[in-house]
Amino acid sequence: MSDDRPSWARRMVAERESRDWSQAEAVRALRAHAPKDLPDDANMLRQWKRWEAGTATPGTFYQPVIAAMFGTVTHALFPLKGKRDANAEIASVSGMETLEIVSRLQASDVDNATIEALRITADRLCSEYAFLPSEQLIVEGRAWLRRVGQLQEQRLTLAQHREVLTLSGWLALLVGCVEYDSGDRRAAESTRRAALSLAHESENAEIQGWAHEMRAWFALTTGDYRGVIAASQAGASIAPNHGVAVQLAAQEAKAWARIGDRRQTEVALDRGRRLLEGLPHPDNLDNHFVVDPAKFDFYSMDCYRLLGEDRMARTLAEEVLRLGMEFDDAEHSPMRNSEARITLGVAAAREGDLEAALAYGERALVGDRQSVPSLLMVSRELAAVVKDRYATEPAAQAYLMRLHDLGRAKPGFLPV
């Protein structure tokens, strides 16, 4: 087959092959997931071949069925283009630059245009989380959090007051995430609690849900898996119909996978998949607090790696890397890419290819934008395989020592 097929066609082949299915077996699986009877096997097999060849696109009936049979969501497998141009939106708000916004914040009365400019500024910052260096993002985030917080001392309408509390909550979530990425666990927990308090005051269930999701993430990276489950379930009870509920289900699935309970892992993943399938497609896929379909594949990759489903994990890792790279090989999602490379490293190590495993592991440690706790967590899994199978190899020992030094430099996290 040529390489110019659509990405969804190539992925359908990869997903099928990772399960060792023939095309006829894939059609049988499709039939099992379909909500109504399908045409006969000969016709469906012919249709499946056309889909994999990229000469025909599955229609709106078949797309969610194919996604479900592969354990993902429709727009992860069949992506939509983003509907929002964030840069144009910022420019359209009265043409304000940062200095003008700041000067307006110092006025005794704040107009709605200024509030809108702040809303878009907060959205921009949350959208830069994936790639902006931590040192830069944390300075900007804290500065805007301070500016927005000072607005509470000015004359505001009731609606403006609630909006200011909400914006402060989102900024606090962002700052807390970057603090934790940088290894400042104590500051991150304090900021998370502040975000939760702001969310309670503004009666914003979504921000409350994300504050609980952060608690689940903190617990996951420190090995408190029961704490992950408790935090995930608490957040889901508060924000059951928001996108954060999908990420909470994913965090719960990751915890069950590390506990070793395959059934509960799959139950949590399926719950998250069904939730995400029912949500509208996000306008801004770059915002860190938006759960987009591609994130779900990233979560599943983590779980399949832990469950030992190496071929499925590898397929998802390759998809994460494909989406996480720009056309010029620049890193669009460096933190996701790092975990995808470690997944590929684990698969290679289990297959006996130490050289490839270490190359992936070393590449994962390179880059200006890292989430140190998450990177250490998944690196430990590669380290465990390397220790078990290649402990006497000098290259393996050097890699393990590098991970040990990285973990030692960040107190409060599990040693490697």
Side-chain angles (χ1 to χ4, degrees), residues 295-334:
K295 273 187 182 178
F296 192 80
D297 287 340
F298 175 67
Y299 306 145
S300 298
M301 175 195 76
D302 180 272
C303 295
Y304 286 133
R305 181 185 67 246
L306 287 157
L307 295 176
E309 296 286 356
D310 292 337
R311 292 183 67 182
M312 293 168 67
R314 184 190 298 111
T315 295
L316 292 170
E318 290 170 349
E319 181 70 6
V320 168
L321 283 172
R322 185 185 71 82
L323 295 174
M325 302 294 293
E326 302 286 2
F327 68 93
D328 58 355
D329 290 335
E331 301 269 351
H332 177 68
S333 303

Side-chain angles (χ1 to χ4, degrees), residues 174-249:
L174 175 66
V175 170
C177 286
V178 183
E179 287 171 339
Y180 199 72
D181 286 338
S182 304
D184 194 344
R185 183 178 172 188
R186 181 174 298 178
E189 174 59 17
S190 296
T191 309
R192 185 195 72 82
R193 289 177 180 273
L196 184 59
S197 176
L198 289 163
H200 279 302
E201 191 174 352
S202 62
E203 300 179 338
N204 189 301
E206 188 175 14
I207 294 177
Q208 290 180 55
W210 279 108
H212 285 286
E213 190 278 336
M214 287 175 66
R215 183 162 67 94
W217 173 36
F218 296 175
L220 184 72
T221 55
T222 52
D224 177 14
Y225 303 135
R226 295 294 175 182
V228 178
I229 295 167
S232 298
Q233 293 176 351
S237 69
I238 293 169
N241 300 315
H242 292 280
V244 65
V246 178
Q247 189 141 322
L248 288 162

Side-chain angles (χ1 to χ4, degrees), residues 244-310:
V244 65
V246 178
Q247 189 141 322
L248 288 162
Q251 298 290 23
E252 184 178 342
K254 290 182 179 184
W256 284 121
R258 285 166 173 79
I259 289 171
D261 192 323
R262 184 187 187 99
R263 177 178 175 277
Q264 292 295 340
T265 301
E266 293 175 341
V267 166
L269 277 179
D270 192 58
R271 183 170 66 252
R273 185 191 69 77
R274 290 175 184 273
L275 283 167
L276 183 54
E277 192 69 84
L279 293 174
H281 193 68
D283 287 336
N284 181 11
L285 296 176
D286 293 329
N287 190 307
H288 179 58
F289 301 108
V290 167
V291 181
D292 65 274
K295 273 187 182 178
F296 192 80
D297 287 340
F298 175 67
Y299 306 145
S300 298
M301 175 195 76
D302 180 272
C303 295
Y304 286 133
R305 181 185 67 246
L306 287 157
L307 295 176
E309 296 286 356
D310 292 337

